[in-house]
Structures are given as structure tokens and as C-alpha cells.
């Protein structure tokens, strides 16, 4: 990376983060400057106060006035110290908003980019790196305004003191600090950045193993598969790698500290030798000697802090680039602008083909069919036939490779993505329930009164169960944060997920991927009857492996190896003597009889 490119990246990062800080709280930067000025005012007092008191003592004014002046100045310094600590505490709270806004923006970006992109391992890795990067850029505003801005004022004052004594002293300080800065930029910053990036890569893997080790459902598998020792070994291996990387980083810091200490020793030695020589020659009064030594310490410390701040900003630019790369991922799905019609009527697949990334075979091949809102569609087929892929394309989780999907005659990609996905209420086989309340798991933040939620739960046969809970809808789901939380059976969890789909609204169309897989036959019958009786104003689509449930469908689509090979009602498909659906249905029926 060239110097010009590096400076440009630093500048762009600083501009963006300053804007972000100002947007969240305009007082943060003002207080950064104020904190820095108060701190430097106290430092200036430490430089000039001893010399001023000494001058008063040896003058005709006497010791009393010197003591009075010292007491007055110290009172002011104590008050400034109190104000300083209060400002620092308040500003740290306010500055946390900036970090929160960056994290919020990152999480929002993760939700906004195409779902297919989030499944790609390189993008998942980029997210974790970007998230960790935020904690390496959060102090940029502090370094710019609290450190660099205020320390420059101190350096101007101390430089005047140095040049009044001897220009070589100032030169020695500047040269040694520049050397420290170069060590930081040319070696330490790059090495630490590379190490931190590798730690970010390993961190999610270890957290994943930790999540498994503390997952109650996974605990059963670990017990009966004797896999706990395997997972502990896996965690130990990952931890060992991270510890080795952190040790490497600590070794780098140690070498840097050694070099810095050596340069600091050389710098201090040169400065004091010059000062002592001037004092012994009689050209430097004792009071000026005190000012000079105090200025030497402050100038050394000030240059070191500026060097450290610049190194931090330079290093932060690398991390910010990782953050920006993730935030600039394209959103190819969010291209449509058309509003969705108030009432939709028809979906049409026109010669649709799709191939997953890095796969040679097509998951769907030249699929064409229509479906209307007055019919219930069942999609069946063996594993790998393309059922879930068809639904993913319909929901715009993936984009067709060939052909198009039309909604009321227009491509689904022409419609606003946000409006389009609001129309669908899918229940996936691997649905998630959250450690919030039962009511929040159904309605989230949508406005539903309690009775409306109970009506929805009544539809799926969960009303009595929820009403029997100690706090009803307000009962915590799972015991993760509340010992009194409830845990449902697998079938009840599936009902809760279906209730969530109904809670999305009466205008939402249902898509259910194996919605009754964990239910007993009687409950399965009731749920399927409920699904079949849903509003005719919406689409109702369900994927099923249990072919006895397809009797409720108006039309059945049979997929085989990515192709649509049959469609029709249950009776029509059973009439095809050599049809795949008839063969699958009869095979399952014979198994049930056995």
C-alpha cells in the first residue's frame, strides 16, 4: 500500500467517523477538545509552577507569597481535575453511542444484503472480521481531538522553551520520536493487524463450539454419541491457536516497548546532558533549568502520545477498510421499485432454471407452472428434487439463473423487495424460537392486542396451553434468562411457528416447509385442515414428505431431479398408473399398513 493510498484511507475514515460521531451526539467532539485542553492546562502548570514558586522564594516577596500562590494554583488544579474526571466519565457514555451505531449499521447490513450472500463462507467471515474491526476504530475521534489537537498546543509551548535553551535538545526529541513512529507504522501496526485478523477468523469457530457445549438440545446427542470429548478437544485446539496468536502479538508489543524504552532513554539522556551543561556554564538559571526539565518531560510524552495516536489511526484505517468492504457489499435483490398490488391473483414460473454457486448440476431445470390465490398447492418429491429451491426462488432468497417468476404478469424482481417479502409468511422446517416472551415469539413488534394473539393461538391449538402459563403471553420462552421460563415440546414449537406465520397478517400468503413433521397424526390432520381452509385471497403452498397430507391440496406439483414431471389433484395423479406420485403414495401407504 503506497503512502498516498494509506493517507487517503486514513482521511476518508476520519471524515466518516467524525460525521458518524456528530450525527449521534455533537457534544462528544466538543468535550473531547475540552478534556484535552484542561489536561494540557494542568500539564503547563506542572512545567511553570515550580520555577515560578522558586522565583518568588528567592525574590524579595518571600516565602509567604510563594506558598499562597502555590496553594491557589493547586486549588484550581484540583477543581480542574474534578471537572476533568466528570467530563471523561460523561463522554465515555456518550461515545458508546457511536460504537452502538456502527454495530447497528453492521447488523442492519447483514439483514439487508441478499440471503444467498450471507450463506457464502467468505461473506460470513467478512462479517466477523468487520464486527471485530469496529472495536479497533472506536477511539479515532478521541485520538484526533482529545490527543493530537491538544498535544500540538503543548508541543508549541515546549518547543519555544527548548529553542530558547538549545535547538539540539528539540532536535533530539523530534528525531527519536519519529523513529518510534516508524517502528510502529512499518512493523508493529501491520503485524498486529494481520494477527488480529487471524484471531477474528478463529473466534467465531470457537464461539460455535462453545454454543454447542452449552446447548441443552445438543447435550443429548453429546451424551449418547460420546462426542463431548471430541468437542472439548476441538475447542482446545482452537483455543491453543488463539493463545499462540495472542502470544505472538504480546511478543511484538514487548519488542516495540523495548525499542521505545531505549529511544526514550537516549532522548532523556541527551536532553538532560544539554540542560546540565548549560546550567553548569552559568547560562541557564535554576528556575529556567526547572522549566526546561519539565518541558522536556512534557514534550517527550506529548510527542510519544501523538506518535501513538497517529499509529492507532493508521492501524485503524486497515480495520475500517475491512468494515467498509462488508458495508459496501452489493444488494442485487433490492432493485425493484414497483409497489405490490393490494390484491394479488397469480404467480407464474416461466421456464425457470437455477444452479447453486460452485455446482455443476442444476437444482431446478426449465420449470413452468401457474398458481392462483384460490387454490392450495402442495410440492412433493424425493430429497434433492428441488422443492426447497423452488420456494427459495419464490421468496427471492436466490435469483433465477434462467427464465422468470411473474406475479400478476410482472417479474417479481420489479417489485419493491421490502413490500414483496412482507406478503409472504413462510414457516421453515428449521425455524427459530427466541428467548423472549411467548407473545413476542408470535407477534414480535407487530401491533396485536392480547385477544388477537390468543385467537391466532387458538387456530393452531395452543391457546389453552399458553393460558395455563403463570404469566400467559408474557411468560418467558426458554430458561436461558428466566428460571420460570417455559419450554414446549417439538410439536408445540412447530405450532408456535405456524401461529407466527398467521400473526403476520390476513393479507400474507403461507408457505410451509414440512409444517407438520413433529406433530401427531390427529393434530397433523387438524393443522392441514386449517391450512387448506385459509383465506382464498392468498397463496397457500406447502412442502410435504407425508403424502397423506397432500389430499388437502387443490393441486400437487411433483418434482424429480429439478424438473416438474407431474401436476394435478390427488385423484388425477393417482389415476396415472406409471406416475411417480402414485408410486410414492402407494409405497408410503404400504409402510403405514405394515
Amino acid at each position: 500500500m503506497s503512502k498516498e493510498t494509506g493517507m487517503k484511507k486514513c482521511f476518508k475514515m476520519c471524515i466518516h467517523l467524525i460525521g458518524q460521531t456528530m450525527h449521534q451526539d455533537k457534544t462528544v467532539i466538543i468535550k473531547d477538545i475540552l478534556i484535552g485542553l484542561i489536561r494540557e492546562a494542568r500539564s503547563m502548570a506542572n512545567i511553570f509552577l515550580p520555577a515560578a514558586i522558586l522565583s518568588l522564594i528567592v525574590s524579595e516577596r518571600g516565602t509567604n507569597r510563594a506558598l499562597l500562590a502555590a496553594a491557589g494554583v493547586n486549588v484550581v488544579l484540583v477543581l480542574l481535575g474534578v471537572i476533568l474526571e466528570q467530563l471523561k466519565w460523561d463522554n465515555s457514555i456518550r461515545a458508546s453511542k457511536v460504537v452502538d451505531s456502527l454495530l447497528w449499521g453492521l447488523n442492519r447490513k447483514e439483514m439487508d444484503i441478499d440471503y444467498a450472500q450471507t450463506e457464502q463462507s467468505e461473506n460470513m467471515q467478512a462479517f466477523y472480521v468487520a464486527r471485530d474491526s469496529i472495536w479497533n476504530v472506536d477511539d479515532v475521534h478521541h485520538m484526533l481531538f482529545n490527543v493530537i489537537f491538544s498535544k500540538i498546543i503543548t508541543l508549541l509551548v515546549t518547543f519555544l522553551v527548548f529553542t530558547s535553551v538549545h535547538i539540539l535538545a528539540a532536535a533530539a526529541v523530534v528525531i527519536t520520536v519519529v523513529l518510534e513512529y516508524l517502528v510502529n507504522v512499518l512493523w508493529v501496526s501491520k503485524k498486529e493487524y494481520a494477527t488480529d485478523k487471524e484471531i477474528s477468523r478463529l473466534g467465531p469457530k470457537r464461539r460455535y463450539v462453545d454454543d454447542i457445549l452449552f446447548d441443552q438440545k445438543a447435550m443429548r446427542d453429546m451424551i449418547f454419541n460420546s462426542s463431548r470429548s471430541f468437542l472439548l478437544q476441538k475447542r482446545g485446539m482452537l483455543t491453543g491457536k488463539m493463545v499462540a496468536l495472542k502470544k505472538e502479538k504480546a511478543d511484538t508489543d514487548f519488542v516495540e516497548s523495548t525499542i521505545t524504552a531505549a529511544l526514550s532513554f537516549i532522548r532523556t539522556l541527551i536532553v538532560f546532558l544539554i540542560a546540565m551543561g548549560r546550567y553548569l556554564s552559568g547560562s541557564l538559571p535554576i528556575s529556567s533549568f526547572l522549566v526546561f526539565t519539565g518541558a522536556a518531560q512534557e514534550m517527550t510524552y506529548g510527542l510519544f502520545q501523538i506518535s501513538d495516536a497517529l499509529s492507532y489511526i493508521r492501524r485503524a484505517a486497515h480495520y475500517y477498510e475491512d468494515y467498509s468492504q462488508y458495508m459496501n457489499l452489493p444488494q442485487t435483490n433490492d432493485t425493484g421499485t414497483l409497489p405490490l398490488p393490494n390484491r394479488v391473483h397469480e404467480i407464474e414460473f416461466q421456464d425457470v432454471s437455477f444452479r447453486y454457486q460452485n455446482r455443476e448440476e442444476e437444482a431446478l431445470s426449465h420449470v413452468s407452472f401457474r398458481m392462483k390465490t384460490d387454490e392450495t398447492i402442495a410440492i412433493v418429491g424425493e430429497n434433492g428434487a428441488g422443492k426447497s429451491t423452488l420456494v427459495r426462488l419464490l421468496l427471492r432468497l436466490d435469483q433465477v439463473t434462467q427464465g422468470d417468476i411473474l406475479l400478476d404478469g410482472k417479474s417479481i424482481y420489479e417489485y419493491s423487495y421490502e413490500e414483496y417479502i412482507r406478503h409472504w409468511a413462510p414457516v421453515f422446517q428449521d425455524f427459530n424460537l427466541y428467548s423472549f416472551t411467548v407473545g413476542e415469539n408470535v407477534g414480535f413488534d407487530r401491533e396485536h392486542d392480547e385477544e388477537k394473539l390468543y385467537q391466532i393461538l387458538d387456530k393452531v391449538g395452543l391457546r389453552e396451553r399458553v393460558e395455563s402459563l403463570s404469566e400467559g403471553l408474557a411468560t418467558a420462552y426458554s430458561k436461558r434468562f428466566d428460571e420460570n421460563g417455559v419450554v414446549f415440546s417439538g410439536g408445540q414449537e412447530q405450532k408456535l411457528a405456524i401461529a407466527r406465520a398467521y400473526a403476520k397478517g390476513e393479507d400474507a400468503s403461507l408457505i410451509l416447509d414440512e409444517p407438520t413433521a413433529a406433530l401427531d397424526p390427529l393434530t397433523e390432520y387438524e393443522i392441514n385442515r386449517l391450512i387448506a381452509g385459509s383465506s382464498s385471497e392468498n397463496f397457500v403452498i406447502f412442502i410435504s414428505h407425508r403424502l397423506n397430507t397432500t389430499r388437502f391440496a387443490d393441486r400437487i406439483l411433483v418434482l424429480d431431479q429439478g424438473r416438474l414431471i407431474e401436476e394435478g389433484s390427488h385423484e388425477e395423479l393417482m389415476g396415472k398408473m406409471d406416475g411417480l406420485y402414485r408410486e410414492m403414495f402407494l409405497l408410503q401407504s404400504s409402510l403405514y399398513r405394515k
Side-chain angles (χ1 to χ4, degrees):
M1 181 170 58
S2 67
K3 184 177 180 180
E4 182 179 355
T5 304
M7 292 297 291
K8 185 177 180 180
K9 288 180 179 179
C10 287
F11 180 76
K12 286 175 66 177
M13 174 196 68
C14 291
I15 292 298
H16 180 267
L17 290 178
I18 290 170
Q20 190 87 358
T21 304
M22 294 291 287
H23 176 72
Q24 293 300 317
D25 193 327
K26 294 181 176 61
T27 65
V28 169
I29 290 176
I30 295 172
K31 288 183 177 179
D32 270 334
I33 295 172
L34 189 57
I35 290 168
L37 292 177
I38 293 174
R39 186 189 61 241
E40 297 312 305
R42 297 177 75 199
S43 298
M44 290 299 100
N46 291 330
I47 292 174
F48 294 103
L49 183 59
I53 291 173
L54 183 60
S55 297
L56 285 173
I57 291 173
V58 299
S59 69
E60 296 178 355
R61 298 179 182 181
T63 305
N64 290 336
R65 289 194 175 185
L67 291 174
L68 185 61
V73 171
N74 277 297
V75 168
V76 173
L77 291 177
V78 169
L79 291 174
L80 286 175
V82 173
I83 294 171
L84 184 65
E85 291 304 314
Q86 181 64 31
L87 284 172
K88 286 165 65 177
W89 178 83
D90 181 66
N91 217 35
S92 66
I93 301 299
R94 294 176 180 272
S96 65
K97 295 179 183 178
V98 180
V99 177
D100 287 340
S101 70
L102 292 172
L103 288 169
W104 185 90
L106 185 67
N107 288 325
R108 180 60 188 263
K109 178 66 177 181
E110 184 191 25
M111 290 186 288
D112 285 346
I113 64 173
D114 300 350
Y115 179 77
Q117 286 183 289
T118 65
E119 292 184 310
Q120 296 173 12
S121 60
E122 61 268 27
N123 288 334
M124 292 173 64
Q125 185 60 43
F127 170 79
Y128 292 125
V129 170
R131 185 183 62 184
D132 290 346
S133 294
I134 289 173
W135 303 105
N136 290 285
V137 303
D138 60 319
D139 270 345
V140 167
H141 65 88
H142 172 83
M143 294 297 180
L144 284 171
F145 298 101
N146 190 299
V147 178
I148 295 176
F149 178 79
S150 60
K151 286 297 178 184
I152 285 174
I153 297 174
T154 299
L155 290 182
L156 289 175
V157 175
T158 55
F159 189 77
L160 290 174
V161 173
F162 270 60
T163 52
S164 67
V165 175
H166 205 294
I167 192 65
L168 287 178
V173 173
V174 172
I175 291 170
T176 51
V177 171
V178 168
L179 289 173
E180 289 176 20
Y181 175 72
L182 292 176
V183 168
N184 272 321
V185 171
L186 298 180
W187 182 56
V188 176
S189 295
K190 291 182 180 179
K191 193 170 180 63
E192 286 191 348
Y193 167 71
T195 305
D196 284 340
K197 195 165 186 176
E198 184 64 13
I199 290 172
S200 294
R201 187 184 69 82
L202 293 172
K205 294 182 179 180
R206 194 180 72 171
R207 284 193 291 271
Y208 171 71
V209 176
D210 285 341
D211 289 342
I212 295 174
L213 287 168
F214 289 97
D215 188 297
Q216 290 299 314
K217 291 182 178 179
M219 188 70 70
R220 293 173 297 184
D221 289 335
M222 284 188 282
I223 291 171
F224 291 103
N225 292 318
S226 302
S227 60
R228 190 172 180 85
S229 59
F230 164 78
L231 290 167
L232 289 171
Q233 288 175 2
K234 183 74 73 175
R235 188 187 188 281
M237 179 192 69
L238 292 168
T239 301
K241 288 182 178 180
M242 292 180 71
V243 168
L245 287 168
K246 290 178 180 179
K247 183 181 182 303
E248 182 181 335
K249 186 176 178 180
D251 291 342
T252 303
D253 289 338
F254 174 75
V255 174
E256 181 214 2
S257 299
T258 303
I259 294 172
T260 300
L263 289 171
S264 178
F265 173 76
I266 293 170
R267 176 171 55 238
T268 304
L269 183 63
I270 292 172
V271 166
F272 276 90
L273 284 175
I274 292 172
M276 288 176 66
R278 299 278 289 173
Y279 172 71
L280 293 173
S281 67
S283 58
L284 188 67
I286 185 64
S287 58
S288 297
F289 179 82
L290 290 175
V291 171
F292 181 83
T293 54
Q297 291 177 338
E298 288 299 330
M299 187 177 194
T300 299
Y301 184 59
L303 282 169
F304 169 77
Q305 282 203 305
I306 289 177
S307 170
D308 192 54
L310 290 173
S311 296
Y312 176 91
I313 291 171
R314 178 90 176 208
R315 188 166 60 250
H318 293 297
Y319 293 106
Y320 186 74
E321 186 177 15
D322 291 330
Y323 174 81
S324 297
Q325 283 178 353
Y326 186 84
M327 294 298 289
N328 290 328
L329 283 175
Q331 295 174 237
T332 56
N333 221 343
D334 194 18
T335 55
T337 57
L338 292 178
L340 205 68
N342 292 330
R343 171 82 184 277
V344 295
H345 301 86
E346 183 182 75
I347 288 281
E348 180 182 0
F349 275 60
Q350 284 189 340
D351 194 36
V352 170
S353 296
F354 176 76
R355 179 184 289 109
Y356 286 103
Q357 189 178 19
N358 301 324
R359 293 188 189 178
E360 293 183 2
E361 71 280 1
E362 289 183 323
L364 283 183
S365 181
H366 303 286
V367 172
S368 298
F369 67 90
R370 293 186 179 187
M371 57 182 177
K372 299 182 181 296
T373 53
D374 60 355
E375 58 182 350
T376 298
I377 300 292
I379 304 173
V380 302
E382 297 178 347
N383 289 334
K387 304 184 295 297
S388 295
T389 299
L390 188 149
V391 168
R392 285 171 64 100
L393 293 175
L394 180 59
L395 293 174
R396 289 171 68 172
L397 298 178
D398 291 300
Q399 194 160 354
V400 299
T401 307
Q402 177 184 322
D404 204 355
I405 304 172
L406 307 182
L407 187 149
D408 288 352
K410 293 185 173 62
S411 171
I412 60 174
Y413 304 107
E414 294 182 35
Y415 292 105
S416 162
Y417 181 67
E418 290 293 330
E419 288 197 27
Y420 184 80
I421 61 174
R422 273 200 296 268
H423 177 75
W424 297 100
V427 181
F428 301 107
Q429 192 170 3
D430 55 347
F431 60 85
N432 287 309
L433 295 178
Y434 306 98
S435 297
F436 305 131
T437 68
V438 174
E440 287 170 335
N441 267 284
V442 176
F444 293 113
D445 59 350
R446 291 186 287 270
E447 293 185 5
H448 293 299
D449 59 39
E450 190 171 293
E451 182 53 36
K452 178 66 176 177
L453 287 178
Y454 274 123
Q455 288 174 5
I456 293 169
L457 291 170
D458 192 38
K459 279 186 178 182
V460 297
L462 272 183
R463 178 166 188 154
E464 289 185 9
R465 176 74 174 96
V466 175
E467 284 181 331
S468 69
L469 299 174
S470 59
E471 297 182 57
L473 291 167
T475 304
Y477 189 79
S478 92
K479 298 182 181 295
R480 184 169 186 172
F481 304 115
D482 189 341
E483 186 60 33
N484 296 318
V486 64
V487 178
F488 287 167
S489 67
Q492 289 172 333
E493 287 186 336
Q494 208 151 17
K495 289 181 181 180
L496 200 64
I498 295 171
R500 176 191 295 168
Y502 281 111
K504 195 166 183 181
E506 295 179 357
D507 59 342
S509 291
L510 291 174
I511 296 182
L512 301 109
D513 184 353
E514 285 294 316
T516 58
L519 303 182
D520 60 82
L522 184 59
T523 307
E524 179 187 34
Y525 174 83
E526 294 297 329
I527 291 293
N528 283 324
R529 189 177 66 174
L530 171 66
I531 293 170
S534 297
S535 172
S536 61
E537 296 182 1
N538 305 310
F539 300 108
V540 178
I541 305 165
F542 66 93
I543 297 173
S544 180
H545 286 90
R546 293 183 186 175
L547 299 190
N548 63 319
T549 65
T550 58
R551 290 174 177 272
F552 293 95
D554 298 305
R555 192 151 52 98
I556 302 164
L557 306 180
V558 184
L559 295 176
D560 183 43
Q561 296 182 356
R563 293 183 175 274
L564 177 60
I565 61 170
E566 298 176 21
E567 63 176 303
S569 67
H570 172 77
E571 290 75 18
E572 290 170 343
L573 295 179
M574 288 300 293
K576 294 184 177 183
M577 301 305 295
D578 59 347
L580 178 61
Y581 178 83
R582 174 186 169 86
E583 179 185 345
M584 293 169 62
F585 186 88
L586 292 177
L587 178 61
Q588 285 194 11
S589 298
S590 66
L591 291 174
Y592 289 144
R593 286 196 295 272
K594 289 180 181 179

